[in-house]
Amino acid sequence: MSDLIVTIDGPAASGKSTVARLLADKLDASFLDTGAMYRAVTLAAMQAGVDLNDQRKLLEIVQKCKFQFSAEAGKTAVCIDNTDVTEQIRDPEVTSNARYIAGEPTVRAELVRMQRQFAAARQKIVTEGRDQGTVAFADADVKFFLTADAGERARRRQADLGGKDNDQSLEQIQKAIEERDRSDESRAVGPLKPADDAIVVDTTDLSIDQVVEKLLALVKERCSQSK
Ligand code: DC
């Protein structure tokens, strides 16, 4: 049973992963990148040549493959059946195909089960995704929802990619981000939306450090109130 669960949800490229990782460090908590889970299942399904609309086959992939996730400097390292796929899960094709896996209710239910299992084995966690405060951890101690305007998120994504394997213009990156927003928000299960009790933080004009400090102060404030 965890003493502290902090959820950070928000749209693509809103800075969730970086912020969640740094916040987890400051709180001496474990960090869970649930997007990496959806990406890993997507890649495993693509590698197996599975029809991404085939619900039964997708669930089989989740249940049969051995997925390992570990926090490494600056990113989440991922292995599928002991093969390191940390870089591959960030391929644009995987990013785009993840919506099939994210829209599959039985797969979501299984991944949520794994997320709760991860939390149950840890004292403190900071977890990030789309449905962490609404579905996976509806009773979380502190819930955040990070936003930033799409133009700013596209600039951040372009800077992250750093030109590596990236021949997309800023405009194309922004368009892809807006398409993912639509797909995330319109999903019937686990759609992207702030929990009723989430603290919404607009990060458009804030640096990563400023966001982390703000969230840290809010977590400390909430925790002192609940004592
Ligand atoms: O955060 P990300 O870009 O790594 O997420 C990858 C995909 O997984 C994206 O299509 C949204 C989806 N996702 C989800 O549906 N629910 C989560 N809790 C995390 C990610």
Side-chain angles (χ1 to χ4, degrees), residues 12 16 33-36 38-39 90 95 98-99 102 108 115 128-132 157 180 184 187 190:
K16 301 181 302 292
D33 171 356
T34 63
Y38 285 87
R39 288 169 179 275
R90 305 281 157 194
T95 303
R99 69 179 186 277
R108 289 200 78 87
Q115 291 155 16
E128 64 96 344
R130 305 292 190 285
D131 61 344
Q132 298 300 282
R157 179 51 53 87
R180 287 180 70 201
D184 276 337
R187 189 166 50 230

mmCIF file with all atom_site columns, all heavy atoms in Angstrom, residues 12 16 33-36 38-39 90 95 98-99 102 108 115 128-132 157 180 184 187 190, ligand 1:
data_model
loop_
_atom_site.group_PDB
_atom_site.id
_atom_site.type_symbol
_atom_site.label_atom_id
_atom_site.label_alt_id
_atom_site.label_comp_id
_atom_site.label_asym_id
_atom_site.label_entity_id
_atom_site.label_seq_id
_atom_site.pdbx_PDB_ins_code
_atom_site.Cartn_x
_atom_site.Cartn_y
_atom_site.Cartn_z
_atom_site.occupancy
_atom_site.B_iso_or_equiv
_atom_site.pdbx_formal_charge
_atom_site.auth_seq_id
_atom_site.auth_comp_id
_atom_site.auth_asym_id
_atom_site.auth_atom_id
_atom_site.pdbx_PDB_model_num
ATOM   1   N N   . ALA A 1 12  ? 0.085   15.200 -25.234 1.00 0.00 ? 12  ALA A N   1
ATOM   2   C CA  . ALA A 1 12  ? 1.404   14.888 -25.783 1.00 0.00 ? 12  ALA A CA  1
ATOM   3   C C   . ALA A 1 12  ? 2.311   16.114 -25.711 1.00 0.00 ? 12  ALA A C   1
ATOM   4   O O   . ALA A 1 12  ? 1.880   17.236 -25.981 1.00 0.00 ? 12  ALA A O   1
ATOM   5   C CB  . ALA A 1 12  ? 1.252   14.451 -27.243 1.00 0.00 ? 12  ALA A CB  1
ATOM   6   N N   . LYS A 1 16  ? 5.186   16.247 -19.318 1.00 0.00 ? 16  LYS A N   1
ATOM   7   C CA  . LYS A 1 16  ? 4.832   15.361 -18.194 1.00 0.00 ? 16  LYS A CA  1
ATOM   8   C C   . LYS A 1 16  ? 5.975   14.461 -17.755 1.00 0.00 ? 16  LYS A C   1
ATOM   9   O O   . LYS A 1 16  ? 6.277   14.365 -16.580 1.00 0.00 ? 16  LYS A O   1
ATOM   10  C CB  . LYS A 1 16  ? 3.681   14.413 -18.556 1.00 0.00 ? 16  LYS A CB  1
ATOM   11  C CG  . LYS A 1 16  ? 2.414   15.009 -18.960 1.00 0.00 ? 16  LYS A CG  1
ATOM   12  C CD  . LYS A 1 16  ? 1.387   13.924 -19.258 1.00 0.00 ? 16  LYS A CD  1
ATOM   13  C CE  . LYS A 1 16  ? 1.780   12.934 -20.333 1.00 0.00 ? 16  LYS A CE  1
ATOM   14  N NZ  . LYS A 1 16  ? 1.866   13.418 -21.681 1.00 0.00 ? 16  LYS A NZ  1
ATOM   15  N N   . ASP A 1 33  ? 6.212   5.768  -16.124 1.00 0.00 ? 33  ASP A N   1
ATOM   16  C CA  . ASP A 1 33  ? 5.924   6.413  -17.407 1.00 0.00 ? 33  ASP A CA  1
ATOM   17  C C   . ASP A 1 33  ? 4.953   5.488  -18.152 1.00 0.00 ? 33  ASP A C   1
ATOM   18  O O   . ASP A 1 33  ? 5.369   4.536  -18.815 1.00 0.00 ? 33  ASP A O   1
ATOM   19  C CB  . ASP A 1 33  ? 7.264   6.558  -18.149 1.00 0.00 ? 33  ASP A CB  1
ATOM   20  C CG  . ASP A 1 33  ? 7.137   7.009  -19.583 1.00 0.00 ? 33  ASP A CG  1
ATOM   21  O OD1 . ASP A 1 33  ? 6.004   7.150  -20.088 1.00 0.00 ? 33  ASP A OD1 1
ATOM   22  O OD2 . ASP A 1 33  ? 8.183   7.221  -20.213 1.00 0.00 ? 33  ASP A OD2 1
ATOM   23  N N   . THR A 1 34  ? 3.645   5.740  -18.006 1.00 0.00 ? 34  THR A N   1
ATOM   24  C CA  . THR A 1 34  ? 2.680   4.790  -18.572 1.00 0.00 ? 34  THR A CA  1
ATOM   25  C C   . THR A 1 34  ? 2.604   4.890  -20.103 1.00 0.00 ? 34  THR A C   1
ATOM   26  O O   . THR A 1 34  ? 2.211   3.937  -20.759 1.00 0.00 ? 34  THR A O   1
ATOM   27  C CB  . THR A 1 34  ? 1.271   4.956  -17.960 1.00 0.00 ? 34  THR A CB  1
ATOM   28  O OG1 . THR A 1 34  ? 0.768   6.261  -18.266 1.00 0.00 ? 34  THR A OG1 1
ATOM   29  C CG2 . THR A 1 34  ? 1.298   4.739  -16.468 1.00 0.00 ? 34  THR A CG2 1
ATOM   30  N N   . GLY A 1 35  ? 3.022   6.027  -20.658 1.00 0.00 ? 35  GLY A N   1
ATOM   31  C CA  . GLY A 1 35  ? 3.080   6.141  -22.119 1.00 0.00 ? 35  GLY A CA  1
ATOM   32  C C   . GLY A 1 35  ? 4.051   5.111  -22.690 1.00 0.00 ? 35  GLY A C   1
ATOM   33  O O   . GLY A 1 35  ? 3.810   4.523  -23.756 1.00 0.00 ? 35  GLY A O   1
ATOM   34  N N   . ALA A 1 36  ? 5.149   4.866  -21.953 1.00 0.00 ? 36  ALA A N   1
ATOM   35  C CA  . ALA A 1 36  ? 6.140   3.881  -22.409 1.00 0.00 ? 36  ALA A CA  1
ATOM   36  C C   . ALA A 1 36  ? 5.508   2.492  -22.465 1.00 0.00 ? 36  ALA A C   1
ATOM   37  O O   . ALA A 1 36  ? 5.862   1.661  -23.318 1.00 0.00 ? 36  ALA A O   1
ATOM   38  C CB  . ALA A 1 36  ? 7.350   3.888  -21.488 1.00 0.00 ? 36  ALA A CB  1
ATOM   39  N N   . TYR A 1 38  ? 2.264   1.830  -23.202 1.00 0.00 ? 38  TYR A N   1
ATOM   40  C CA  . TYR A 1 38  ? 1.447   1.775  -24.431 1.00 0.00 ? 38  TYR A CA  1
ATOM   41  C C   . TYR A 1 38  ? 2.349   1.678  -25.659 1.00 0.00 ? 38  TYR A C   1
ATOM   42  O O   . TYR A 1 38  ? 2.047   0.960  -26.621 1.00 0.00 ? 38  TYR A O   1
ATOM   43  C CB  . TYR A 1 38  ? 0.516   3.004  -24.515 1.00 0.00 ? 38  TYR A CB  1
ATOM   44  C CG  . TYR A 1 38  ? -0.635  2.886  -23.556 1.00 0.00 ? 38  TYR A CG  1
ATOM   45  C CD1 . TYR A 1 38  ? -0.512  3.313  -22.239 1.00 0.00 ? 38  TYR A CD1 1
ATOM   46  C CD2 . TYR A 1 38  ? -1.825  2.278  -23.935 1.00 0.00 ? 38  TYR A CD2 1
ATOM   47  C CE1 . TYR A 1 38  ? -1.555  3.166  -21.332 1.00 0.00 ? 38  TYR A CE1 1
ATOM   48  C CE2 . TYR A 1 38  ? -2.878  2.124  -23.038 1.00 0.00 ? 38  TYR A CE2 1
ATOM   49  C CZ  . TYR A 1 38  ? -2.722  2.581  -21.737 1.00 0.00 ? 38  TYR A CZ  1
ATOM   50  O OH  . TYR A 1 38  ? -3.755  2.408  -20.847 1.00 0.00 ? 38  TYR A OH  1
ATOM   51  N N   . ARG A 1 39  ? 3.463   2.388  -25.627 1.00 0.00 ? 39  ARG A N   1
ATOM   52  C CA  . ARG A 1 39  ? 4.395   2.341  -26.755 1.00 0.00 ? 39  ARG A CA  1
ATOM   53  C C   . ARG A 1 39  ? 5.009   0.935  -26.903 1.00 0.00 ? 39  ARG A C   1
ATOM   54  O O   . ARG A 1 39  ? 5.166   0.429  -28.020 1.00 0.00 ? 39  ARG A O   1
ATOM   55  C CB  . ARG A 1 39  ? 5.518   3.366  -26.544 1.00 0.00 ? 39  ARG A CB  1
ATOM   56  C CG  . ARG A 1 39  ? 5.059   4.801  -26.730 1.00 0.00 ? 39  ARG A CG  1
ATOM   57  C CD  . ARG A 1 39  ? 6.133   5.784  -26.258 1.00 0.00 ? 39  ARG A CD  1
ATOM   58  N NE  . ARG A 1 39  ? 5.680   7.152  -26.456 1.00 0.00 ? 39  ARG A NE  1
ATOM   59  C CZ  . ARG A 1 39  ? 5.819   7.818  -27.608 1.00 0.00 ? 39  ARG A CZ  1
ATOM   60  N NH1 . ARG A 1 39  ? 6.433   7.259  -28.635 1.00 0.00 ? 39  ARG A NH1 1
ATOM   61  N NH2 . ARG A 1 39  ? 5.360   9.043  -27.718 1.00 0.00 ? 39  ARG A NH2 1
ATOM   62  N N   . ARG A 1 90  ? 10.154  5.102  -29.489 1.00 0.00 ? 90  ARG A N   1
ATOM   63  C CA  . ARG A 1 90  ? 9.948   6.538  -29.770 1.00 0.00 ? 90  ARG A CA  1
ATOM   64  C C   . ARG A 1 90  ? 9.847   6.807  -31.270 1.00 0.00 ? 90  ARG A C   1
ATOM   65  O O   . ARG A 1 90  ? 9.717   7.962  -31.681 1.00 0.00 ? 90  ARG A O   1
ATOM   66  C CB  . ARG A 1 90  ? 11.097  7.383  -29.191 1.00 0.00 ? 90  ARG A CB  1
ATOM   67  C CG  . ARG A 1 90  ? 11.337  7.168  -27.703 1.00 0.00 ? 90  ARG A CG  1
ATOM   68  C CD  . ARG A 1 90  ? 10.349  7.904  -26.833 1.00 0.00 ? 90  ARG A CD  1
ATOM   69  N NE  . ARG A 1 90  ? 10.258  7.266  -25.505 1.00 0.00 ? 90  ARG A NE  1
ATOM   70  C CZ  . ARG A 1 90  ? 9.302   7.501  -24.632 1.00 0.00 ? 90  ARG A CZ  1
ATOM   71  N NH1 . ARG A 1 90  ? 8.335   8.347  -24.910 1.00 0.00 ? 90  ARG A NH1 1
ATOM   72  N NH2 . ARG A 1 90  ? 9.275   6.880  -23.482 1.00 0.00 ? 90  ARG A NH2 1
ATOM   73  N N   . THR A 1 95  ? 4.679   5.932  -32.375 1.00 0.00 ? 95  THR A N   1
ATOM   74  C CA  . THR A 1 95  ? 3.907   7.035  -31.774 1.00 0.00 ? 95  THR A CA  1
ATOM   75  C C   . THR A 1 95  ? 2.530   7.116  -32.414 1.00 0.00 ? 95  THR A C   1
ATOM   76  O O   . THR A 1 95  ? 1.511   7.235  -31.729 1.00 0.00 ? 95  THR A O   1
ATOM   77  C CB  . THR A 1 95  ? 4.660   8.376  -31.987 1.00 0.00 ? 95  THR A CB  1
ATOM   78  O OG1 . THR A 1 95  ? 5.962   8.249  -31.421 1.00 0.00 ? 95  THR A OG1 1
ATOM   79  C CG2 . THR A 1 95  ? 3.934   9.530  -31.324 1.00 0.00 ? 95  THR A CG2 1
ATOM   80  N N   . ALA A 1 98  ? 0.227   3.991  -31.658 1.00 0.00 ? 98  ALA A N   1
ATOM   81  C CA  . ALA A 1 98  ? -0.144  3.774  -30.241 1.00 0.00 ? 98  ALA A CA  1
ATOM   82  C C   . ALA A 1 98  ? -1.633  4.029  -30.014 1.00 0.00 ? 98  ALA A C   1
ATOM   83  O O   . ALA A 1 98  ? -2.220  3.506  -29.070 1.00 0.00 ? 98  ALA A O   1
ATOM   84  C CB  . ALA A 1 98  ? 0.697   4.662  -29.329 1.00 0.00 ? 98  ALA A CB  1
ATOM   85  N N   . ARG A 1 99  ? -2.253  4.810  -30.874 1.00 0.00 ? 99  ARG A N   1
ATOM   86  C CA  . ARG A 1 99  ? -3.673  5.118  -30.656 1.00 0.00 ? 99  ARG A CA  1
ATOM   87  C C   . ARG A 1 99  ? -4.552  3.864  -30.748 1.00 0.00 ? 99  ARG A C   1
ATOM   88  O O   . ARG A 1 99  ? -5.586  3.779  -30.098 1.00 0.00 ? 99  ARG A O   1
ATOM   89  C CB  . ARG A 1 99  ? -4.158  6.194  -31.625 1.00 0.00 ? 99  ARG A CB  1
ATOM   90  C CG  . ARG A 1 99  ? -4.236  5.773  -33.067 1.00 0.00 ? 99  ARG A CG  1
ATOM   91  C CD  . ARG A 1 99  ? -4.763  6.932  -33.919 1.00 0.00 ? 99  ARG A CD  1
ATOM   92  N NE  . ARG A 1 99  ? -4.983  6.532  -35.286 1.00 0.00 ? 99  ARG A NE  1
ATOM   93  C CZ  . ARG A 1 99  ? -4.049  6.476  -36.214 1.00 0.00 ? 99  ARG A CZ  1
ATOM   94  N NH1 . ARG A 1 99  ? -2.795  6.793  -35.906 1.00 0.00 ? 99  ARG A NH1 1
ATOM   95  N NH2 . ARG A 1 99  ? -4.339  6.090  -37.438 1.00 0.00 ? 99  ARG A NH2 1
ATOM   96  N N   . ALA A 1 102 ? -4.130  2.276  -27.373 1.00 0.00 ? 102 ALA A N   1
ATOM   97  C CA  . ALA A 1 102 ? -4.737  3.137  -26.347 1.00 0.00 ? 102 ALA A CA  1
ATOM   98  C C   . ALA A 1 102 ? -6.267  3.087  -26.399 1.00 0.00 ? 102 ALA A C   1
ATOM   99  O O   . ALA A 1 102 ? -6.932  3.324  -25.398 1.00 0.00 ? 102 ALA A O   1
ATOM   100 C CB  . ALA A 1 102 ? -4.258  4.575  -26.528 1.00 0.00 ? 102 ALA A CB  1
ATOM   101 N N   . ARG A 1 108 ? -6.277  -1.707 -22.154 1.00 0.00 ? 108 ARG A N   1
ATOM   102 C CA  . ARG A 1 108 ? -6.174  -0.637 -21.142 1.00 0.00 ? 108 ARG A CA  1
ATOM   103 C C   . ARG A 1 108 ? -6.378  -1.224 -19.746 1.00 0.00 ? 108 ARG A C   1
ATOM   104 O O   . ARG A 1 108 ? -5.657  -0.900 -18.812 1.00 0.00 ? 108 ARG A O   1
ATOM   105 C CB  . ARG A 1 108 ? -7.221  0.462  -21.383 1.00 0.00 ? 108 ARG A CB  1
ATOM   106 C CG  . ARG A 1 108 ? -6.993  1.322  -22.576 1.00 0.00 ? 108 ARG A CG  1
ATOM   107 C CD  . ARG A 1 108 ? -7.762  2.638  -22.475 1.00 0.00 ? 108 ARG A CD  1
ATOM   108 N NE  . ARG A 1 108 ? -7.078  3.561  -21.592 1.00 0.00 ? 108 ARG A NE  1
ATOM   109 C CZ  . ARG A 1 108 ? -6.115  4.403  -21.967 1.00 0.00 ? 108 ARG A CZ  1
ATOM   110 N NH1 . ARG A 1 108 ? -5.755  4.471  -23.224 1.00 0.00 ? 108 ARG A NH1 1
ATOM   111 N NH2 . ARG A 1 108 ? -5.513  5.179  -21.091 1.00 0.00 ? 108 ARG A NH2 1
ATOM   112 N N   . GLN A 1 115 ? -0.242  -1.188 -13.671 1.00 0.00 ? 115 GLN A N   1
ATOM   113 C CA  . GLN A 1 115 ? 0.161   0.083  -13.039 1.00 0.00 ? 115 GLN A CA  1
ATOM   114 C C   . GLN A 1 115 ? -0.157  0.069  -11.543 1.00 0.00 ? 115 GLN A C   1
ATOM   115 O O   . GLN A 1 115 ? 0.642   0.497  -10.710 1.00 0.00 ? 115 GLN A O   1
ATOM   116 C CB  . GLN A 1 115 ? -0.559  1.257  -13.737 1.00 0.00 ? 115 GLN A CB  1
ATOM   117 C CG  . GLN A 1 115 ? -0.074  1.484  -15.164 1.00 0.00 ? 115 GLN A CG  1
ATOM   118 C CD  . GLN A 1 115 ? -1.095  2.161  -16.072 1.00 0.00 ? 115 GLN A CD  1
ATOM   119 O OE1 . GLN A 1 115 ? -2.074  2.744  -15.602 1.00 0.00 ? 115 GLN A OE1 1
ATOM   120 N NE2 . GLN A 1 115 ? -0.875  2.090  -17.370 1.00 0.00 ? 115 GLN A NE2 1
ATOM   121 N N   . GLU A 1 128 ? 2.752   9.154  -14.582 1.00 0.00 ? 128 GLU A N   1
ATOM   122 C CA  . GLU A 1 128 ? 2.248   10.092 -15.594 1.00 0.00 ? 128 GLU A CA  1
ATOM   123 C C   . GLU A 1 128 ? 1.610   9.377  -16.772 1.00 0.00 ? 128 GLU A C   1
ATOM   124 O O   . GLU A 1 128 ? 1.975   8.249  -17.090 1.00 0.00 ? 128 GLU A O   1
ATOM   125 C CB  . GLU A 1 128 ? 3.373   11.030 -16.049 1.00 0.00 ? 128 GLU A CB  1
ATOM   126 C CG  . GLU A 1 128 ? 4.533   10.346 -16.746 1.00 0.00 ? 128 GLU A CG  1
ATOM   127 C CD  . GLU A 1 128 ? 4.448   10.357 -18.246 1.00 0.00 ? 128 GLU A CD  1
ATOM   128 O OE1 . GLU A 1 128 ? 3.363   10.629 -18.793 1.00 0.00 ? 128 GLU A OE1 1
ATOM   129 O OE2 . GLU A 1 128 ? 5.472   10.048 -18.877 1.00 0.00 ? 128 GLU A OE2 1
ATOM   130 N N   . GLY A 1 129 ? 0.623   10.039 -17.387 1.00 0.00 ? 129 GLY A N   1
ATOM   131 C CA  . GLY A 1 129 ? -0.052  9.449  -18.546 1.00 0.00 ? 129 GLY A CA  1
ATOM   132 C C   . GLY A 1 129 ? -1.231  10.293 -18.984 1.00 0.00 ? 129 GLY A C   1
ATOM   133 O O   . GLY A 1 129 ? -1.139  11.523 -19.043 1.00 0.00 ? 129 GLY A O   1
ATOM   134 N N   . ARG A 1 130 ? -2.334  9.618  -19.285 1.00 0.00 ? 130 ARG A N   1
ATOM   135 C CA  . ARG A 1 130 ? -3.538  10.334 -19.704 1.00 0.00 ? 130 ARG A CA  1
ATOM   136 C C   . ARG A 1 130 ? -4.693  10.097 -18.729 1.00 0.00 ? 130 ARG A C   1
ATOM   137 O O   . ARG A 1 130 ? -5.577  10.931 -18.595 1.00 0.00 ? 130 ARG A O   1
ATOM   138 C CB  . ARG A 1 130 ? -4.000  9.850  -21.095 1.00 0.00 ? 130 ARG A CB  1
ATOM   139 C CG  . ARG A 1 130 ? -2.959  9.919  -22.195 1.00 0.00 ? 130 ARG A CG  1
ATOM   140 C CD  . ARG A 1 130 ? -2.621  11.354 -22.533 1.00 0.00 ? 130 ARG A CD  1
ATOM   141 N NE  . ARG A 1 130 ? -1.804  11.455 -23.745 1.00 0.00 ? 130 ARG A NE  1
ATOM   142 C CZ  . ARG A 1 130 ? -0.517  11.169 -23.826 1.00 0.00 ? 130 ARG A CZ  1
ATOM   143 N NH1 . ARG A 1 130 ? 0.143   10.774 -22.745 1.00 0.00 ? 130 ARG A NH1 1
ATOM   144 N NH2 . ARG A 1 130 ? 0.139   11.293 -24.975 1.00 0.00 ? 130 ARG A NH2 1
ATOM   145 N N   . ASP A 1 131 ? -4.667  8.923  -18.081 1.00 0.00 ? 131 ASP A N   1
ATOM   146 C CA  . ASP A 1 131 ? -5.809  8.482  -17.255 1.00 0.00 ? 131 ASP A CA  1
ATOM   147 C C   . ASP A 1 131 ? -5.384  8.134  -15.839 1.00 0.00 ? 131 ASP A C   1
ATOM   148 O O   . ASP A 1 131 ? -6.060  7.370  -15.157 1.00 0.00 ? 131 ASP A O   1
ATOM   149 C CB  . ASP A 1 131 ? -6.410  7.223  -17.893 1.00 0.00 ? 131 ASP A CB  1
ATOM   150 C CG  . ASP A 1 131 ? -5.393  6.091  -17.955 1.00 0.00 ? 131 ASP A CG  1
ATOM   151 O OD1 . ASP A 1 131 ? -4.181  6.369  -17.806 1.00 0.00 ? 131 ASP A OD1 1
ATOM   152 O OD2 . ASP A 1 131 ? -5.785  4.927  -18.151 1.00 0.00 ? 131 ASP A OD2 1
ATOM   153 N N   . GLN A 1 132 ? -4.257  8.652  -15.411 1.00 0.00 ? 132 GLN A N   1
ATOM   154 C CA  . GLN A 1 132 ? -3.747  8.228  -14.104 1.00 0.00 ? 132 GLN A CA  1
ATOM   155 C C   . GLN A 1 132 ? -4.598  8.773  -12.947 1.00 0.00 ? 132 GLN A C   1
ATOM   156 O O   . GLN A 1 132 ? -4.894  8.065  -12.004 1.00 0.00 ? 132 GLN A O   1
ATOM   157 C CB  . GLN A 1 132 ? -2.271  8.625  -13.959 1.00 0.00 ? 132 GLN A CB  1
ATOM   158 C CG  . GLN A 1 132 ? -1.383  7.947  -14.986 1.00 0.00 ? 132 GLN A CG  1
ATOM   159 C CD  . GLN A 1 132 ? -1.445  6.427  -14.861 1.00 0.00 ? 132 GLN A CD  1
ATOM   160 O OE1 . GLN A 1 132 ? -0.828  5.860  -13.977 1.00 0.00 ? 132 GLN A OE1 1
ATOM   161 N NE2 . GLN A 1 132 ? -2.199  5.771  -15.723 1.00 0.00 ? 132 GLN A NE2 1
ATOM   162 N N   . ARG A 1 157 ? 8.860   19.432 -28.619 1.00 0.00 ? 157 ARG A N   1
ATOM   163 C CA  . ARG A 1 157 ? 9.064   18.126 -29.250 1.00 0.00 ? 157 ARG A CA  1
ATOM   164 C C   . ARG A 1 157 ? 10.201  18.204 -30.268 1.00 0.00 ? 157 ARG A C   1
ATOM   165 O O   . ARG A 1 157 ? 11.063  17.335 -30.328 1.00 0.00 ? 157 ARG A O   1
ATOM   166 C CB  . ARG A 1 157 ? 7.749   17.659 -29.893 1.00 0.00 ? 157 ARG A CB  1
ATOM   167 C CG  . ARG A 1 157 ? 7.747   16.327 -30.619 1.00 0.00 ? 157 ARG A CG  1
ATOM   168 C CD  . ARG A 1 157 ? 8.303   15.167 -29.849 1.00 0.00 ? 157 ARG A CD  1
ATOM   169 N NE  . ARG A 1 157 ? 7.766   14.908 -28.524 1.00 0.00 ? 157 ARG A NE  1
ATOM   170 C CZ  . ARG A 1 157 ? 6.700   14.173 -28.251 1.00 0.00 ? 157 ARG A CZ  1
ATOM   171 N NH1 . ARG A 1 157 ? 6.031   13.611 -29.220 1.00 0.00 ? 157 ARG A NH1 1
ATOM   172 N NH2 . ARG A 1 157 ? 6.310   13.977 -27.013 1.00 0.00 ? 157 ARG A NH2 1
ATOM   173 N N   . ARG A 1 180 ? -3.032  13.857 -32.256 1.00 0.00 ? 180 ARG A N   1
ATOM   174 C CA  . ARG A 1 180 ? -2.970  12.978 -31.074 1.00 0.00 ? 180 ARG A CA  1
ATOM   175 C C   . ARG A 1 180 ? -3.879  13.523 -29.973 1.00 0.00 ? 180 ARG A C   1
ATOM   176 O O   . ARG A 1 180 ? -4.516  12.761 -29.264 1.00 0.00 ? 180 ARG A O   1
ATOM   177 C CB  . ARG A 1 180 ? -1.531  12.851 -30.572 1.00 0.00 ? 180 ARG A CB  1
ATOM   178 C CG  . ARG A 1 180 ? -0.689  11.991 -31.490 1.00 0.00 ? 180 ARG A CG  1
ATOM   179 C CD  . ARG A 1 180 ? 0.708   11.879 -30.979 1.00 0.00 ? 180 ARG A CD  1
ATOM   180 N NE  . ARG A 1 180 ? 0.795   11.084 -29.779 1.00 0.00 ? 180 ARG A NE  1
ATOM   181 C CZ  . ARG A 1 180 ? 1.805   11.152 -28.920 1.00 0.00 ? 180 ARG A CZ  1
ATOM   182 N NH1 . ARG A 1 180 ? 2.780   11.987 -29.102 1.00 0.00 ? 180 ARG A NH1 1
ATOM   183 N NH2 . ARG A 1 180 ? 1.830   10.367 -27.870 1.00 0.00 ? 180 ARG A NH2 1
ATOM   184 N N   . ASP A 1 184 ? -6.688  11.309 -28.323 1.00 0.00 ? 184 ASP A N   1
ATOM   185 C CA  . ASP A 1 184 ? -6.642  11.078 -26.869 1.00 0.00 ? 184 ASP A CA  1
ATOM   186 C C   . ASP A 1 184 ? -7.929  11.558 -26.186 1.00 0.00 ? 184 ASP A C   1
ATOM   187 O O   . ASP A 1 184 ? -8.426  10.922 -25.260 1.00 0.00 ? 184 ASP A O   1
ATOM   188 C CB  . ASP A 1 184 ? -5.456  11.835 -26.246 1.00 0.00 ? 184 ASP A CB  1
ATOM   189 C CG  . ASP A 1 184 ? -4.143  11.062 -26.354 1.00 0.00 ? 184 ASP A CG  1
ATOM   190 O OD1 . ASP A 1 184 ? -4.187  9.828  -26.492 1.00 0.00 ? 184 ASP A OD1 1
ATOM   191 O OD2 . ASP A 1 184 ? -3.083  11.696 -26.286 1.00 0.00 ? 184 ASP A OD2 1
ATOM   192 N N   . ARG A 1 187 ? -11.319 9.336  -27.137 1.00 0.00 ? 187 ARG A N   1
ATOM   193 C CA  . ARG A 1 187 ? -11.353 7.904  -26.849 1.00 0.00 ? 187 ARG A CA  1
ATOM   194 C C   . ARG A 1 187 ? -12.489 7.586  -25.878 1.00 0.00 ? 187 ARG A C   1
ATOM   195 O O   . ARG A 1 187 ? -12.715 8.325  -24.920 1.00 0.00 ? 187 ARG A O   1
ATOM   196 C CB  . ARG A 1 187 ? -9.998  7.568  -26.226 1.00 0.00 ? 187 ARG A CB  1
ATOM   197 C CG  . ARG A 1 187 ? -9.702  6.165  -26.026 1.00 0.00 ? 187 ARG A CG  1
ATOM   198 C CD  . ARG A 1 187 ? -8.238  5.933  -25.735 1.00 0.00 ? 187 ARG A CD  1
ATOM   199 N NE  . ARG A 1 187 ? -7.692  6.775  -24.685 1.00 0.00 ? 187 ARG A NE  1
ATOM   200 C CZ  . ARG A 1 187 ? -6.587  7.479  -24.791 1.00 0.00 ? 187 ARG A CZ  1
ATOM   201 N NH1 . ARG A 1 187 ? -5.884  7.462  -25.896 1.00 0.00 ? 187 ARG A NH1 1
ATOM   202 N NH2 . ARG A 1 187 ? -6.157  8.208  -23.778 1.00 0.00 ? 187 ARG A NH2 1
ATOM   203 N N   . GLY A 1 190 ? -10.735 5.696  -20.939 1.00 0.00 ? 190 GLY A N   1
ATOM   204 C CA  . GLY A 1 190 ? -9.551  6.419  -20.448 1.00 0.00 ? 190 GLY A CA  1
ATOM   205 C C   . GLY A 1 190 ? -9.206  7.647  -21.267 1.00 0.00 ? 190 GLY A C   1
ATOM   206 O O   . GLY A 1 190 ? -8.037  7.879  -21.568 1.00 0.00 ? 190 GLY A O   1
HETATM 207 O O1  . DC  B 2 .   ? 2.837   10.007 -23.342 1.00 0.00 ? 1   DC  B O1  1
HETATM 208 P P1  . DC  B 2 .   ? 3.223   9.247  -24.577 1.00 0.00 ? 1   DC  B P1  1
HETATM 209 O O2  . DC  B 2 .   ? 3.307   10.137 -25.798 1.00 0.00 ? 1   DC  B O2  1
HETATM 210 O O3  . DC  B 2 .   ? 4.487   8.457  -24.411 1.00 0.00 ? 1   DC  B O3  1
HETATM 211 O O4  . DC  B 2 .   ? 2.028   8.215  -24.831 1.00 0.00 ? 1   DC  B O4  1
HETATM 212 C C1  . DC  B 2 .   ? 2.054   7.277  -25.873 1.00 0.00 ? 1   DC  B C1  1
HETATM 213 C C2  . DC  B 2 .   ? 0.641   6.872  -26.264 1.00 0.00 ? 1   DC  B C2  1
HETATM 214 O O5  . DC  B 2 .   ? -0.021  6.164  -25.226 1.00 0.00 ? 1   DC  B O5  1
HETATM 215 C C3  . DC  B 2 .   ? -0.311  8.005  -26.635 1.00 0.00 ? 1   DC  B C3  1
HETATM 216 O O6  . DC  B 2 .   ? -0.993  7.600  -27.821 1.00 0.00 ? 1   DC  B O6  1
HETATM 217 C C4  . DC  B 2 .   ? -1.288  8.108  -25.507 1.00 0.00 ? 1   DC  B C4  1
HETATM 218 C C5  . DC  B 2 .   ? -1.274  6.741  -24.905 1.00 0.00 ? 1   DC  B C5  1
HETATM 219 N N1  . DC  B 2 .   ? -1.425  6.729  -23.462 1.00 0.00 ? 1   DC  B N1  1
HETATM 220 C C6  . DC  B 2 .   ? -2.666  6.449  -22.938 1.00 0.00 ? 1   DC  B C6  1
HETATM 221 O O7  . DC  B 2 .   ? -3.631  6.270  -23.686 1.00 0.00 ? 1   DC  B O7  1
HETATM 222 N N2  . DC  B 2 .   ? -2.817  6.363  -21.588 1.00 0.00 ? 1   DC  B N2  1
HETATM 223 C C7  . DC  B 2 .   ? -1.781  6.564  -20.765 1.00 0.00 ? 1   DC  B C7  1
HETATM 224 N N3  . DC  B 2 .   ? -1.955  6.455  -19.443 1.00 0.00 ? 1   DC  B N3  1
HETATM 225 C C8  . DC  B 2 .   ? -0.506  6.872  -21.297 1.00 0.00 ? 1   DC  B C8  1
HETATM 226 C C9  . DC  B 2 .   ? -0.374  6.965  -22.666 1.00 0.00 ? 1   DC  B C9  1
#
